[in-house]
């Protein structure tokens, strides 16, 4: 049985998750700007999945390791807090330097630093919610994180358009074709990511470890080898519900990777009739995507709060399946929108899917895993996010290294180098994910009735 924690009021739950606002503002900047930054610097659309490998690779390597290490950490600052702070500093540094990139190689290198910082922070933050809240408050905790994800990404996507509305020219670019609006929003993100995480740490500190928790940690072997063995042991003992969530994650995250990689380019073709990344029309497509993405993240923000009572009534799994279905239908419809105004109708489905993705799977997961292994299982669950993204990069992308080509080049050779076809494929993947999540039976790890 898990020991009961002090119950937190909703304002305190909001404060403990405020750091997610800064963290997800950073992710929103990446989703909305990394493809265009690479294009401004001369990259081809077919290269984008491979150039985006930093996120999934660092997630695959860093998050399980950090999750396992944080499970075993004892320090005067807490169990998870050191990782929050180290990650926040790296993230802020990457955000500050990214819009100053002078080459594709420099941008790709900075993305590795930025993603390392994000990933060092992410899974300890997920585990922190599970540590700090009783099971009956975890839905509120994780769906609050989902709400902050929607709000943060709404702000990240909308801020460049706000700067243009305030008088900055969308065509004011530096010598590397990167707009100054991009530079400004990345610097805002650097300040926001660091300040919000520090606020959360100071306002809602971790609970002191109980004597039983200390004894458990001290009884564990130490060192990198022991940590890797712990990850392997946790994978072998993975609860059945978590294994089945992996099937859902395969389709869910393959679809989302395709959406983030190619939605701007689809809008460029269908609404602005351009594929030229140096044109003013393409910069209009970037801003239009930002406004649409701000809207769908606002839907995710509001929808996450509405999902709290619905998840209790219907179950997190069926609710997630419905939201994924709506998201898949939205992605199938989006390539057929030929005016800016038409983009906002499918954005409703995308927003509901995104709001659910960032909350409901973690509700299912947190109730299926043992409390003493929360960090390592949250890290392993992230592997189920990044492996589909790695698969997407390898299958869709193609990068000529001179001595060899990396990737199968499906975008070029099967989808006709057309981003609208890539979005349609993403929609099919989300519908398959909706079917897969219905296979998962929810259960409580502490009740010895893990989901089968």
């Amino acid at each position: 049985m898990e020991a009961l924690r002090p119950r937190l009021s909703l304002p305190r739950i909001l404060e403990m998750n405020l750091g997610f606002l800064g963290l997800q503002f950073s992710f929103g900047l990446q989703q909305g700007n990394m493809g265009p930054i690479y294009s401004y610097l001369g990259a081809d659309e077919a290269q984008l999945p491979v150039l985006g490998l930093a996120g999934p690779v660092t997630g695959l390597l860093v998050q399980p390791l950090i999750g396992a290490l944080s499970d075993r950490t004892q320090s005067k600052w807490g169990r998870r807090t050191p990782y929050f702070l180290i990650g926040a500093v790296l993230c802020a540094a990457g955000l500050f330097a990214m819009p100053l990139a002078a080459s594709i190689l420099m941008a790709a290198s900075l993305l590795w630093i930025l993603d390392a910082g994000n990933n060092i922070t992410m899974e300890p933050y997920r585990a922190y919610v599970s540590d700090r809240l009783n099971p009956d408050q975890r839905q509120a905790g994780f769906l609050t994180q989902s709400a902050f994800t929607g709000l943060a990404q709404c702000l990240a996507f909308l801020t460049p358009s706000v700067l243009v509305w305030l008088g900055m020219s969308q065509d004011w670019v530096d010598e590397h074709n990167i707009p100054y609006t991009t530079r400004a929003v990345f610097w805002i993100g650097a300040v926001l990511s660091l300040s919000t995480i520090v606020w959360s740490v100071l306002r809602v500190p971790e609970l002191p470890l109980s004597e039983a928790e200390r004894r458990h940690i001290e009884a564990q072997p130490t060192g990198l080898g022991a940590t890797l063995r712990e990850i392997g042991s946790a994978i072998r003992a993975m609860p059945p519900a978590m294994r089945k969530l992996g099937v859902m994650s395969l389709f869910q995250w393959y679809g989302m990777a395709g959406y983030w990689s190619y939605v701007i380019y689809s809008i460029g073709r269908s609404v602005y009739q351009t594929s030229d990344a140096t044109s003013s029309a393409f910069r209009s497509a970037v801003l239009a995507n930002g406004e649409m993405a701000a809207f769908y993240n606002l839907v995710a923000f509001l929808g996450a709060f509405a999902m709290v009572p619905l998840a209790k009534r219907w179950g997190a799994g069926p609710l997630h399946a419905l939201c994924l279905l709506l998201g898949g239908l939205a992605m199938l419809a989006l390539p057929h929108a030929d005016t800016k105004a038409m983009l906002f109708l499918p954005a409703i489905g995308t927003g509901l899917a995104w709001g659910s993705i960032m909350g409901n799977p973690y509700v299912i997961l947190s109730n299926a895993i043992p409390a003493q292994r929360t960090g390592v299982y949250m890290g392993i669950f992230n592997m189920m996010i990044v492996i589909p993204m790695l698969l997407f990069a390898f299958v869709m992308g193609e990068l000529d290294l001179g001595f060899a080509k990396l990737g199968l080049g499906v975008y070029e050779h099967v989808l006709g180098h057309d981003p609208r076809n890539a979005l349609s494929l993403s929609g099919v993947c989300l519908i398959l994910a909706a079917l897969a999540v219905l296979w998962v039976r929810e259960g409580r790890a502490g009740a010895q009735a893990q989901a089968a």
Side-chain angles (χ1 to χ4, degrees):
M1 293 291 292
E2 296 183 39
L4 291 178
R5 291 89 164 169
R7 292 185 64 81
L8 295 184
S9 64
L10 181 59
R12 297 286 281 171
I13 292 175
L14 290 172
E15 278 194 298
M16 75 179 289
N17 285 311
L18 185 64
F20 233 67
L21 181 75
L23 185 64
Q24 292 298 331
F25 193 95
S26 171
F27 276 114
L29 291 179
Q30 289 178 242
Q31 291 169 19
N33 294 279
M34 283 313 305
I37 285 174
Y38 283 135
S39 295
Y40 298 144
L41 296 172
D44 183 82
E45 288 175 14
Q47 298 174 327
L48 298 178
V50 178
L51 290 171
L53 280 173
V57 170
T58 55
L60 183 65
L61 298 176
V62 171
Q63 288 204 25
L65 184 62
I66 294 298
L69 287 172
S70 72
D71 279 344
R72 299 163 182 241
T73 295
Q74 296 187 75
S75 77
K76 64 181 181 180
W77 298 287
R79 193 179 192 182
R80 318 291 182 184
T81 299
Y83 303 97
F84 298 165
L85 298 178
I86 292 169
V89 170
L90 284 175
C91 178
L95 288 171
F96 183 83
M98 181 62 73
L100 304 177
S103 67
I104 293 173
L105 179 60
M106 182 177 177
S109 300
L110 288 169
L111 184 59
W112 284 83
I113 295 172
L114 175 56
D115 272 317
N118 283 334
N119 282 293
I120 288 170
T121 303
M122 177 66 76
E123 287 321 305
Y125 218 128
R126 295 284 193 192
Y128 166 54
V129 171
S130 191
D131 292 343
R132 196 69 170 77
L133 298 177
N134 290 309
D136 66 331
Q137 286 198 299
R138 286 176 188 161
Q139 281 183 330
F142 286 118
L143 288 172
T144 298
Q145 286 191 349
S146 178
F148 274 127
T149 297
L151 178 60
Q153 296 194 6
C154 176
L155 295 174
F157 281 111
L158 189 59
T159 301
S161 290
V162 171
L163 294 175
V164 170
W165 296 337
L166 292 176
M168 289 185 72
S169 171
Q170 69 180 49
D171 298 322
W172 183 26
V173 299
D174 65 16
E175 64 271 25
H176 306 297
N177 295 313
I178 298 177
Y180 280 95
T181 53
T182 302
R183 183 178 297 189
V185 74
F186 268 75
W187 288 356
I188 291 169
V191 174
L192 193 62
S193 65
L194 185 58
S195 61
T196 56
I197 289 172
V198 170
W199 180 274
S200 289
V201 166
L202 294 177
R203 293 291 295 169
V204 190
E206 294 184 70
L207 293 173
L209 293 173
S210 68
E211 189 58 37
E213 288 171 327
R214 289 187 182 278
R215 286 197 303 269
H216 176 79
I217 292 172
E218 290 165 359
Q220 304 304 307
T222 58
L224 179 59
T227 300
L228 295 175
R229 286 192 294 273
E230 165 65 8
I231 294 171
S233 171
I235 291 173
R236 289 192 296 273
M238 189 184 300
M242 186 173 176
R243 293 181 187 275
K244 293 180 179 181
L245 282 173
V247 178
M248 175 211 71
S249 292
L250 174 64
F251 293 112
Q252 173 179 282
W253 290 105
Y254 193 102
M256 293 307 301
Y259 178 83
W260 291 327
S261 294
Y262 288 112
V263 63
I264 290 172
Y265 301 89
S266 176
I267 292 171
R269 301 285 210 288
S270 64
V271 178
Y272 294 96
Q273 293 77 52
T274 185
S275 59
D276 180 4
T278 64
S279 67
S280 180
F282 181 80
R283 288 189 285 273
S284 294
V286 173
L287 292 176
N289 174 66
E291 293 163 26
M292 179 191 71
F295 176 71
Y296 85 64
N297 277 285
L298 180 61
V299 171
F301 170 69
L302 298 174
F305 287 111
M307 288 178 202
V308 174
L310 290 176
K312 289 181 178 179
R313 182 179 303 175
W314 298 350
L319 177 60
H320 188 48
L322 174 62
C323 291
L324 287 176
L325 174 62
L326 294 173
L329 294 174
M331 290 182 191
L332 289 173
L334 189 60
H336 303 287
D338 57 8
T339 67
K340 181 178 175 180
M342 288 179 64
L343 298 173
F344 291 86
L345 182 59
I348 297 172
T350 307
L352 291 172
W354 183 231
S356 183
I357 284 169
M358 294 305 293
N360 283 313
Y362 294 95
V363 174
I364 301 170
L365 178 66
S366 66
N367 290 328
I369 57 178
Q372 67 272 22
R373 279 182 156 179
T374 296
V376 68
Y377 274 125
M378 288 291 180
I380 291 169
F381 192 60
N382 188 69
M383 295 169 66
M384 299 179 184
I385 297 173
V386 300
I387 288 174
M389 291 183 171
L390 288 171
L391 183 65
F392 170 82
F394 180 75
V395 170
M396 295 288 283
E398 187 173 52
L399 183 62
D400 192 343
L401 302 176
F403 58 89
K405 288 187 177 180
L406 181 62
L408 298 180
V410 165
Y411 179 76
E412 179 74 29
H413 306 302
V414 178
L415 300 180
H417 205 275
D418 191 331
R420 292 166 291 191
N421 293 334
L423 251 64
S424 297
L425 177 59
S426 292
V428 171
C429 286
L430 257 64
I431 292 170
L432 292 173
L435 295 174
V437 77
L438 293 175
W439 184 40
V440 182
R441 289 173 55 195
E442 300 175 51
R444 300 270 178 180
Q448 302 297 318
Q450 292 175 346

